[in-house]
């Protein structure tokens, strides 16, 4: 595309201010320039004016993103690209502009990173679909954000956004090099958008809207699907249909420069009291929940239901966080200190996982009590029963000290 440095872009100063206010509430991680929000705020109006002036004249050019690695469940790492604070503000301006036009065209079963959609709605839709259809394809796209093809991405942007300046800025952000830990710059080579980029989730939704959502809707209208970013579940009527659809999806993904992660993609049977056939795989995970056959009670009877519950891997992750925050070596702390550190996590776990199977979550959170008793034994050099008595007294004196106490998740 032919770019002009002095192209006029209809960006208002108020949009930049609004973007700053939204980004200021987010993460504190700095980009390659190490500029913090405090430093940026020392000349706030001037800095915002510079961003607006450059964006509105078409002369805004982003800096490289700083690469950081975070651990994954499987022991590997996920690479994140952290833009500078100024780039985050600029990306938010364009993202907000695009989102107003794009959200209405996205598929109703696309739930990720959308203002009026939520992860809980996606989890519930999968639950409802499992009632209606017997088979599930649980898909994982390999290195999705790293493999997004720039040519296909820009073609999608052109298709939905007539404004050339939008494509211009999207192209510049796609092409931002990555600064590695050792300071070297890595070129994108025509693919990838950084996880950590403000505009990346919207671009990811747009990419999969055309390459997957619309394709499934047109070619396989008889199946149901739920997508949360690149996490996709496809519901089929029969095992044969599921096998055929999965093979077709593999071919489709190759056409759009993507591929599935074979070891994390499988077909599962939604076994319950009506569906009693014997198949090896009767379980899958989606957004932190495990869907599988479970014993349930209703009208005085016990029956098998295919329902979501907090997954084993996330139960383990919660346990690790509890052990980390209630450490027997930190006996110099008071219980109030432990509560202050743990309560934000407890609130998040309960608000998210408590939607389904509170009984299971209550069992997981009972570890807080066990760790507190162990901590009290160490702190006061007392036995188990004395420590438990101290904890009981503390709970009676301050029943809202820990969030799970006041939320009804303690025994």
């Amino acid at each position: 595309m032919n770019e002009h440095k002095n192209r006029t872009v209809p960006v208002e100063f108020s949009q930049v201010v609004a973007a700053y206010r939204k980004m200021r509430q987010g993460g504190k991680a700095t980009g390659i320039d190490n500029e913090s929000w405090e430093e940026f705020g020392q000349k706030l109006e001037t800095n915002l004016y510079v961003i607006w002036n450059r964006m509105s004249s078409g002369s805004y050019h982003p800096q490289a993103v700083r690469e950081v690695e975070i651990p994954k469940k499987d022991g590997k790492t996920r690479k994140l690209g952290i833009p500078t604070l100024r780039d985050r503000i600029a990306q938010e301006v364009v993202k907000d502009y695009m989102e107003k036009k794009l959200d209405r065209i996205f598929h109703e079963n696309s739930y990720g990173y959308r203002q009026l959609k939520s992860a809980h709605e996606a989890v519930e839709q999968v639950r409802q679909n499992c009632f209606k259809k017997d088979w599930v394809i649980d898909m994982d796209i390999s290195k999705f954000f790293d493999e997004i093809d720039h040519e296909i991405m820009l073609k999608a942007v052109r298709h939905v956004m007539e404004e050339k300046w939008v494509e211009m800025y999207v192209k510049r952000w796609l092409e931002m090099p990555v600064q590695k830990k050792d300071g070297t710059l890595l070129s994108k080579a025509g693919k990838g958008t950084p996880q950590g980029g403000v505009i990346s989730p919207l671009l990811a939704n747009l990419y999969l809207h055309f390459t997957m959502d619309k394709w499934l809707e047109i070619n396989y209208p008889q199946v149901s699907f739920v997508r949360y970013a690149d996490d996709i579940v496809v519901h089929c009527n029969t095992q044969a249909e599921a096998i055929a659809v999965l093979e077709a999806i593999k071919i489709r993904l190759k056409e759009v420069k993507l591929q599935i992660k074979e070891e994390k993609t499988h077909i599962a049977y939604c076994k319950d009291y009506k569906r009693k056939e014997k198949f090896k795989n009767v379980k899958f995970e989606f957004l932190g929940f495990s869907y599988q056959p479970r014993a349930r009670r209703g009208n005085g009877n016990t029956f098998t239901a295919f329902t979501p519950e907090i997954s084993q891997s996330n139960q383990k992750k919660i346990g690790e966080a509890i052990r980390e925050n209630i450490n027997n070596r930190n006996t110099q702390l008071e219980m109030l200190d432990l509560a202050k550190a743990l309560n934000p996590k407890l609130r998040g776990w309960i608000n998210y996982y408590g939607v389904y199977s509170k009984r299971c979550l209550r069992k997981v959170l009972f570890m807080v009590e066990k760790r507190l008793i162990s901590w009290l034994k160490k702190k006061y050099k007392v036995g188990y029963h004395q420590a438990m008595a101290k904890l009981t007294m503390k709970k009676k004196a301050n029943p809202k000290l820990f969030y799970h106490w006041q939320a009804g998740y303690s025994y």
Side-chain angles (χ1 to χ4, degrees):
M1 182 179 66
N2 183 28
E3 292 187 352
H4 300 283
K5 283 188 176 181
N6 295 320
R7 170 179 292 156
T8 301
V9 175
V11 172
E12 302 292 337
F13 183 69
S14 59
Q15 293 173 272
V16 177
V17 173
Y20 160 75
R21 287 173 177 164
K22 187 172 181 180
M23 292 298 97
R24 184 67 179 84
Q25 297 171 0
K28 296 181 179 179
T30 59
I32 63 169
D33 59 0
N34 290 317
E35 183 179 34
S36 67
W37 285 117
E38 289 72 22
E39 291 168 328
F40 185 87
Q42 288 173 8
K43 296 182 179 180
L44 181 59
E45 189 169 352
T46 300
N47 288 331
L48 293 177
Y49 180 83
V50 169
I51 294 172
W52 168 71
N53 184 267
R54 290 178 181 172
M55 287 197 75
S56 61
S57 65
S59 62
Y60 185 89
H61 287 270
Q63 293 181 271
V65 298
R66 181 172 65 87
E67 184 178 87
V68 297
E69 295 182 350
I70 58 173
K72 293 169 65 175
K73 291 180 187 177
D74 56 10
K76 298 179 181 178
T77 59
R78 175 182 288 111
K79 294 177 180 178
L80 295 184
I82 309 299
T84 64
L85 307 186
R86 294 165 191 258
D87 284 336
R88 280 181 237 173
I89 294 168
Q91 286 188 37
E92 174 60 28
V93 170
V94 179
K95 181 190 80 83
D96 184 65
Y97 184 87
M98 293 179 69
E99 208 165 37
K100 287 179 171 65
K101 293 194 173 187
L102 295 187
D103 196 70
R104 63 176 177 265
I105 75 166
F106 285 153
H107 199 283
E108 63 179 354
N109 292 327
S110 168
Y111 290 86
Y113 308 117
R114 297 180 64 185
Q115 291 183 351
L116 300 179
K117 298 275 191 175
S118 71
H120 280 152
E121 288 178 317
V123 171
E124 175 60 23
Q125 188 60 59
V126 168
R127 190 178 78 91
Q128 294 293 335
N129 289 348
C130 287
F131 292 155
K132 301 170 186 175
K133 296 187 184 292
D134 296 356
W135 291 87
V136 161
I137 303 169
D138 178 21
M139 277 179 52
D140 194 300
I141 299 177
S142 179
K143 299 178 181 177
F144 171 65
F145 282 87
D146 294 334
E147 297 295 327
I148 285 179
D149 183 80
H150 290 181
E151 186 178 342
I152 296 174
M153 185 76 262
L154 292 171
K155 181 179 179 182
V157 172
R158 283 194 296 272
H159 185 73
V160 296
M161 302 295 298
E162 61 184 20
E163 300 90 337
K164 294 294 183 184
W165 65 269
V166 172
E167 182 191 351
M168 176 183 72
Y169 279 132
V170 169
K171 184 173 186 288
R172 290 178 188 176
W173 282 314
L174 288 174
E175 293 174 347
M176 283 188 301
V178 175
Q179 186 182 78
K180 309 288 283 184
K181 282 185 177 181
D182 61 6
T184 58
L185 292 178
L186 182 67
S187 171
K188 290 289 187 59
K191 65 179 183 179
T193 182
Q195 279 189 273
V198 175
I199 203 168
S200 294
L202 179 64
L203 296 181
N205 267 343
L206 181 59
Y207 198 92
L208 287 175
H209 171 74
F210 288 113
T211 60
M212 186 53 55
D213 300 354
K214 295 299 291 183
W215 179 83
L216 278 170
E217 183 181 65
I218 293 168
N219 293 280
Y220 295 94
Q222 76 278 17
V223 309
S224 303
F225 74 91
V226 172
R227 181 173 68 76
Y228 194 95
D230 58 331
D231 204 344
I232 307 169
V233 174
V234 182
H235 303 262
C236 301
N237 294 297
T238 66
Q239 184 182 32
E241 182 180 61
I243 292 171
V245 171
L246 178 54
E247 289 306 308
I249 287 173
K250 290 179 182 179
I251 295 170
R252 172 58 176 171
L253 288 177
K254 285 182 180 178
E255 293 173 351
V256 296
K257 310 294 180 68
L258 298 172
Q259 61 180 338
I260 67 163
K261 186 179 289 186
E262 293 284 354
E263 65 271 22
K264 288 194 173 182
T265 297
H266 60 275
I267 294 171
Y269 178 59
C270 303
K271 186 176 182 178
D272 61 13
Y273 72 98
K274 289 182 179 180
R275 298 174 287 203
K276 301 178 180 180
E277 294 183 63
K278 292 185 177 181
F279 292 98
K280 183 179 179 181
N281 196 4
V282 292
K283 173 183 175 181
F284 70 95
E285 291 188 11
F286 180 67
L287 297 183
F289 291 91
S290 171
Y291 292 74
Q292 63 190 78
R294 306 179 199 277
R296 290 289 183 262
R297 288 189 63 81
N299 298 322
N301 299 314
T302 300
F303 63 97
T304 301
F306 196 84
T307 58
E309 201 170 82
I310 179 174
S311 68
Q312 287 289 334
S313 59
N314 282 288
Q315 290 182 40
K316 182 180 178 182
K317 190 184 293 185
I318 288 174
E320 290 171 351
I322 291 171
R323 282 191 291 273
E324 183 181 328
N325 280 270
I326 307 177
N327 192 317
N328 286 349
R329 291 192 295 270
N330 294 336
T331 54
Q332 77 281 4
L333 299 177
E334 298 299 327
M335 199 176 289
L336 179 62
D337 300 317
L338 301 180
K340 284 181 178 178
L342 197 55
N343 276 341
K345 295 182 177 65
L346 288 168
R347 186 177 289 106
W349 295 330
I350 290 170
N351 289 345
Y352 186 69
Y353 293 112
V355 174
Y356 297 98
S357 190
K358 292 183 178 181
R359 179 180 58 84
C360 178
L361 184 58
R362 184 177 288 111
K363 285 183 179 179
V364 176
L365 295 182
F366 183 62
M367 182 178 284
V368 176
E369 264 65 21
K370 291 195 290 186
R371 293 294 296 181
L372 285 173
I373 290 171
S374 178
W375 177 80
L376 286 166
K377 283 171 60 182
K378 190 84 170 179
K379 181 176 176 68
Y380 295 104
K381 296 179 175 58
V382 296
Y384 174 83
H385 293 292
Q386 290 171 297
M388 190 165 65
K390 282 182 177 292
L391 181 61
T392 301
M393 289 175 59
K394 178 65 74 172
K395 192 180 292 188
K396 286 182 178 179
N398 191 352
K400 293 185 178 182
L401 179 61
F402 285 90
Y403 184 78
H404 71 299
W405 291 357
Q406 57 180 291
Y409 279 86
S410 64
Y411 285 88

